Amino acid sequence: MTSPLLPTYARAELSFEKGEGPWLFGRDGERYLDFGAGIAVNALGHAHPHLVQALTEQASKVWHTSNLFQIPEGERLAKRLVENTFADVVFFSNSGAEANEAAIKMARKYHAVNGNPERFRIVTFEGAFHGRTLATIAAGGQAKYLEGFGPKVEGFDQVPVEDLEALKAVIGPETAALMIEPIQGEGGIRTVSNAFLRELRHLCDSQGLLLIFDEIQTGVGRTGKLFAYEWTGVTPDIMAVAKGIGGGFPMGACLATAEAAKGMTVGTHGTTFGGNPLAMAVGNAVLDVILEPGFLKEVERKGLLLKQRLAELKDRHPGVIADVRGHGLMMGLRIVVPNTEFIAAARAQKLLVIGAGDNVARLLPPLIISDTEIGEAVNRIEAACTAIEAGQASASQRGAVQ
């Protein structure tokens, strides 16, 4: 059957009719353990009762009014984010790319209102992924996303992660900000060292630059803190958030200090749907759960348990798993065989994982995952490894016969 959908996705031959916690129920009649969580989106799993209640209650009241009017639930959510982060102000959007667009515009506008409009360039880091708009693919700098879309949007310079000398060499009189993911998600679950992040903060402070953190994938509890910057000893000036903050409902946010955001006055930026009552109701419901006493400590504990169990698998299956990396419940396995082969083998075991750069398979379970379900996932990963090894042995034997 020919689909009327634009063919921009290589979709698996699999669809789902319902979900419950970390489980998805396929239209093929099978039950799958979801360790992708919609690419780190379903932070509280599927059909979480508190989120369902918040959404349905709001849906029976008002869906959309536009930002021409007050949205009390948005005021409440912004206040809670400010109270629990470095930020003074919040701008709500619909996606991570839009949150990053707001961050980019904010950094440029900051320098313009300071009398330095020539300071518009932003330094980003190789392997980054910041979105799919023309500006954010330029920020990410990856050729595979830029190819065929005309001239690259001006104003972005890329340097290798952890290369302080390359970074210093590229900073000039037109530089406005540095922009980085504390852990590169699409880039292969590569954690940036705290020491390097501290150097970025020092450079920004000494040269009048703004520091932007892209916490679209690392934020909202994924690493065992509300935001990953809390592990680093570094505070950004601007931070982009999305994915987990909506628990599956499309939502993003750009958080900033009052100083960094001082150029964003009435009319400088906007959105039709961002901050709508439905999204705000769900965002508040997500925080209700994640900010419960002990919740994030449990995420941290479960992340350590998962990492330990994965390290044991690596030791038992070195021909399949080359490396275990990540933090909290944002883990990656660098695979020896093509990661697509491993993902398919895991899916055959009814376990859903996601590919990433550097031949990595991402494990991004819902934050409500239980110890028992972690154990079940590890067993299914081991079965996938065993199946791959059996295939390798079979291929070797065929080669020997030939």
Side-chain angles (χ1 to χ4, degrees):
M1 186 178 77
T2 302
S3 173
L5 293 171
L6 193 68
T8 54
Y9 298 103
R11 301 176 193 267
E13 292 293 326
L14 185 59
S15 62
F16 305 100
E17 58 182 357
K18 67 175 183 177
E20 183 179 320
W23 297 94
L24 278 168
F25 299 84
R27 295 183 183 275
D28 59 0
E30 299 287 350
R31 187 174 79 146
Y32 295 80
L33 185 51
D34 184 5
F35 261 54
I39 317 181
V41 167
N42 301 313
L44 301 180
H46 301 280
H48 190 286
H50 188 57
L51 272 61
V52 171
Q53 181 183 5
L55 181 60
T56 52
E57 284 184 1
Q58 185 60 49
S60 68
K61 297 175 183 176
V62 61
W63 292 21
H64 179 77
T65 61
S66 87
N67 288 295
L68 298 175
F69 304 98
Q70 300 288 324
I71 301 175
E73 280 293 288
E75 293 281 348
R76 176 171 176 253
L77 182 55
K79 184 173 185 291
R80 296 172 80 185
L81 288 169
V82 164
E83 288 172 347
N84 288 281
T85 68
F86 70 94
D88 301 308
V89 292
V90 181
F91 176 86
F92 290 115
S93 63
N94 307 286
S95 67
E98 289 172 86
N100 273 330
E101 287 272 354
I104 291 164
K105 290 176 69 175
M106 186 181 290
R108 290 180 171 190
K109 192 70 168 177
Y110 168 81
H111 290 286
V113 299
N114 281 345
N116 305 112
E118 75 284 357
R119 300 187 76 169
F120 70 97
R121 302 192 72 83
I122 295 176
V123 182
T124 62
F125 296 86
E126 292 175 7
F129 182 85
H130 297 299
R132 296 279 195 157
T133 66
L134 287 173
T136 54
I137 60 173
Q142 295 193 46
K144 64 181 178 180
Y145 298 128
L146 289 162
E147 185 179 355
F149 293 110
K152 176 182 171 183
V153 172
E154 179 66 7
F156 298 96
D157 302 295
Q158 282 84 34
V159 297
V161 181
E162 307 278 356
D163 191 334
L164 189 59
E165 294 311 309
L167 174 59
K168 289 178 179 178
V170 82
I171 292 173
E174 293 184 342
T175 305
L178 312 181
M179 183 175 187
I180 194 165
E181 302 157 278
I183 302 174
Q184 290 187 341
E186 301 286 334
I189 313 296
R190 291 187 286 192
T191 301
V192 181
S193 72
N194 292 345
F196 187 68
L197 293 174
R198 286 193 291 268
E199 289 288 354
L200 300 192
R201 182 71 270 176
H202 174 71
L203 276 172
C204 287
D205 291 342
S206 64
Q207 303 201 34
L209 310 176
L210 294 178
L211 180 59
I212 304 170
F213 272 17
D214 177 341
E215 288 229 33
I216 288 164
Q217 195 162 146
T218 56
V220 198
R222 180 55 53 185
T223 66
K225 298 284 190 185
L226 186 58
F227 293 102
Y229 79 83
E230 297 174 60
W231 292 108
T232 69
V234 175
T235 302
D237 301 294
I238 304 171
M239 181 170 70
V241 181
K243 292 188 180 290
I245 188 63
F249 195 93
M251 181 184 167
C254 180
L255 282 63
T257 64
E259 174 66 13
K262 69 182 182 181
M264 304 302 280
T265 54
V266 173
T268 56
H269 194 51
T271 170
T272 297
F273 295 108
N276 71 79
L278 290 171
M280 299 299 93
V282 177
N284 273 303
V286 168
L287 286 193
D288 289 344
V289 177
I290 288 179
L291 294 179
E292 285 179 355
F295 183 90
L296 290 170
K297 276 291 182 186
E298 269 295 283
V299 173
E300 182 182 357
R301 184 192 65 78
K302 289 183 286 192
L304 289 171
L305 172 64
L306 176 59
K307 192 168 192 175
Q308 180 184 27
R309 296 296 304 278
L310 293 174
E312 293 168 359
L313 282 185
K314 174 184 174 293
D315 291 342
R316 290 199 295 272
H317 303 278
V320 180
I321 301 173
D323 187 27
V324 177
R325 52 177 70 164
H327 197 153
L329 291 175
M330 184 177 182
M331 298 302 299
L333 301 176
R334 189 165 63 83
I335 305 299
V336 176
V337 300
N339 65 352
T340 51
E341 182 180 339
F342 176 84
I343 291 165
R347 191 182 304 140
Q349 300 298 325
K350 307 300 183 287
L351 176 71
L352 305 178
V353 299
I354 299 172
D358 201 24
N359 204 44
V360 163
R362 278 178 284 180
L363 300 139
L364 305 164
L367 307 184
I368 48 85
I369 196 79
S370 70
D371 290 9
T372 299
E373 289 155 344
I374 288 173
E376 181 63 33
V378 170
N379 290 340
R380 295 183 187 207
I381 292 170
E382 179 138 48
C385 291
T386 301
I388 290 170
E389 289 162 346
Q392 291 172 331
S394 177
S396 178
Q397 288 173 354
R398 287 196 302 271
V401 169
Q402 290 172 356

